[in-house]
Amino acid sequence: MMGLAGILLALGLLIFLAYRGVSILLLAPLMAMLAASFATSALLGLYTQVFMTSAGGFVISFFPLFLLGAIFGRLMDDSGAAKSIAAGLVARLGSGQSILAVVLACAILTYGGVSLFVVAFAIYPIAASLFREADIPKRLIPATIALGAFTFTMTALPGTPAIQNAIPMPYFGTTPFAAPGIGILAALVMFGAGQCWLMHRAARARVRGEGYGIHDDATATPNDAMRQRSAGEGYDLAEISTTDTVVAPVTAVPGFSLAVLPVVVVVAANYVFSGIVIPSWNIDYLSEPLYGAVGLSNVLGLWSIILALCTAILVLIALNWKRLASLRTSLDAGANASVLPIFNTASLVGFGAVVAALPAFAMLREVVLNLGGDNPLISLAIAVNILAGITGSASGGMSIALSTLGDTYLEMGHAAGIVPDALHRITAIATGGLDALPHNGAVVTLLAICGLTHRDSYGDLAMVAVIFPLVSLVVAIVAATMFGAF
């Protein structure tokens, strides 16, 4: 019981102190050692041989995705492509569809691999202008951005280069397009329910005579957010760092078609590389010890996303060569921005590995594995969701769950006749529920960008980013159980 108390105490302090602004880089190893101190005295051994080994393994596996994704997002921002996409959708849909225009703009950008935080900073000024013109309450802007950036494009749509879609691949031997039908079904539930909710809330506000309100619409800058974070106001340094750089001036924004083309390239190239090109290669050398003695399934998904992002970056640079006043500045900014997020997530993976090595974890493991009865999809979804909620991180919660229980769930899936593609998609969708609780760094940062508080906007944000994703998860589990992966 003392060991279990240590784990629960460490988890509680991790949530509380992370919300208060303490760096995950410091918190994760300290809390891991605190949990371990209740069960063993081998703290240094656990730190160097378990924590650091697991954290380092995560960096080795996924750093290229963080690096390329951050560079792509920076180039989309610095070239003006992100703003062009938002403006183009507004022009095509009309100002009367302000909510839909903002949701779709965020969705297109995040589906193409742009960091959701870059999207939030880029889209907020446009959203504020649209909502003011349409006299829609400003308090609905965070939920509108969250629906497009935090939900279905992050976890459900097949082919998304989001890290939440990449992490399950080496564990289950899948590709970014695993179980596309289940993903699309879940995405439609999230998008449809969220859009209906926001339209309903806007209509009710109109009936009550509530307009945009009196607000100072100056966008919170990344530097402001960093200073507030250091004062303990709850911003997520790992993610804000993606925009805390000098932005190269833009000479002229590209047209809508040119702006959206790199996003299309990411998804299309991802499909071509994973389904056609890479499987045709002779990769027998991978079976050698030098290359890890692995098979194609272990690397196919990661390789396809890496090549897709590289291709899209080259296309983006070629299309916007004259618009990028300082390509080196943009590349450096993107590269630098990738470091802190991956090390934060890796630290959470190390924390999970230490907890999993403790004797008390065996009891928790049995409880979690038995939650779904004969259906491992239910147990998997609950485990990922709870851990994502505890850590306030979708990727962190998923990484802990898979690093500790991934092999077990794969075996349970085989025994139950559930293919790895279904496990992959349910895992990804499950990260997008409880991760958006009030202490989540993305939530707090988005509210700061919009100049609003939890009291102003979290209720609607929770509906579109917590409740409806959980509903879609239930739908996806039922569909996967009844029809398998499709």
Side-chain angles (χ1 to χ4, degrees), residues 12 34 52 72 104 119 157 259 310 349 358 430 444 457:
L34 174 63
M52 289 306 302
F72 182 71
L104 291 180
V119 170
L157 285 181
C310 286
V349 173
L358 301 177
V444 180
S457 300

Side-chain angles (χ1 to χ4, degrees), residues 70 74 115 117-118 121 237-245 333-334 337-338 341:
R74 173 56 57 188
S115 163
F117 293 89
V118 173
F121 274 104
L237 269 175
E239 303 293 1
I240 290 180
S241 65
T242 62
T243 52
D244 188 45
T245 49
S338 68

Side-chain angles (χ1 to χ4, degrees), residues 11 14 28 58 167 171 345-356 361 383-384 387-388 390-391 393-406 409:
L11 288 173
L14 180 67
F58 182 87
I167 290 175
Y171 293 98
T345 305
S347 290
L348 290 172
V349 173
F351 171 84
V354 171
V355 170
F361 182 77
V384 171
L387 287 168
I390 288 173
T391 61
S393 167
S395 57
M398 173 194 289
S399 298
I400 293 173
L402 293 182
S403 64
T404 56
L405 297 171
Y409 280 120

Side-chain angles (χ1 to χ4, degrees), residues 282-299:
N282 181 3
I283 44 81
D284 292 340
Y285 64 86
L286 287 177
S287 61
E288 300 175 12
L290 176 62
Y291 302 101
V294 298
L296 178 61
S297 62
N298 297 102
V299 298

Side-chain angles (χ1 to χ4, degrees), residues 86-403:
L89 285 171
V90 172
R92 286 161 174 76
L93 295 174
S95 59
Q97 295 294 328
S98 300
I99 293 176
L100 180 60
V102 172
V103 170
L104 291 180
C106 294
I108 290 173
L109 291 170
T110 51
Y111 190 42
V114 181
S115 163
L116 57 88
F117 293 89
V118 173
V119 170
F121 274 104
I123 298 299
Y124 166 69
I126 298 172
S129 175
L130 289 173
F131 278 47
R132 182 183 291 277
E133 180 182 346
D135 208 26
I136 299 172
K138 182 183 178 181
R139 60 182 174 80
L140 294 179
I141 291 179
T144 305
I145 293 176
L147 176 60
F150 293 11
T151 60
F152 56 96
T153 57
M154 184 179 78
T155 63
L157 285 181
T160 175
I163 191 64
Q164 290 81 5
N165 192 38
I167 290 175
M169 295 188 300
Y171 293 98
F172 299 135
T174 49
T175 75
F177 293 87
I182 295 174
I184 292 172
L185 176 63
L188 289 173
V189 173
M190 290 186 227
F191 171 73
Q195 183 67 23
C196 288
W197 175 264
L198 292 172
M199 295 298 292
H200 168 69
R201 295 288 286 171
R204 286 192 60 184
R206 190 175 301 111
V207 170
R208 294 195 304 267
E210 178 188 357
Y212 182 81
I214 301 174
H215 300 280
D216 177 6
D217 286 331
T219 306
T221 67
N223 286 328
D224 290 339
M226 292 283 282
R227 285 191 293 270
Q228 290 170 320
R229 167 71 174 186
S230 65
E233 294 186 21
Y235 296 93
D236 188 343
L237 269 175
E239 303 293 1
I240 290 180
S241 65
T242 62
T243 52
D244 188 45
T245 49
V246 178
V247 178
V250 179
T251 55
V253 298
F256 179 81
S257 297
L258 288 181
V260 81
L261 182 59
V263 175
V264 175
V265 168
V266 171
V267 181
N270 198 351
Y271 180 79
V272 171
F273 282 121
S274 65
I276 301 173
V277 177
I278 298 178
S280 69
W281 293 350
N282 181 3
I283 44 81
D284 292 340
Y285 64 86
L286 287 177
S287 61
E288 300 175 12
L290 176 62
Y291 302 101
V294 298
L296 178 61
S297 62
N298 297 102
V299 298
L300 176 60
L302 293 174
W303 284 8
S304 65
I305 294 180
I306 289 171
L307 292 175
L309 285 171
C310 286
T311 304
I313 287 171
L314 293 176
V315 170
L316 181 54
I317 292 173
L319 293 176
N320 297 280
W321 183 262
K322 295 182 179 180
R323 297 184 183 90
L324 294 166
S326 176
L327 178 60
R328 178 179 174 180
T329 299
S330 297
L331 293 176
D332 286 349
N336 291 335
S338 68
V339 176
L340 194 54
I342 190 170
F343 274 94
N344 269 8
T345 305
S347 290
L348 290 172
V349 173
F351 171 84
V354 171
V355 170
L358 301 177
F361 182 77
M363 177 171 33
L364 293 176
R365 179 180 181 274
E366 291 306 312
V367 171
V368 170
L369 291 177
N370 291 324
L371 286 176
D374 295 330
N375 189 344
L377 294 177
I378 297 175
S379 171
L380 176 61
I382 293 173
V384 171
N385 240 304
I386 291 176
L387 287 168
I390 288 173
T391 61
S393 167
S395 57
M398 173 194 289
S399 298
I400 293 173
L402 293 182
S403 64

Side-chain angles (χ1 to χ4, degrees), residues 1-9 38-39 359-360 363:
M1 290 302 293
M2 286 295 293
L4 180 59
I7 293 175
L8 295 177
L9 175 62
F38 281 71
M363 177 171 33

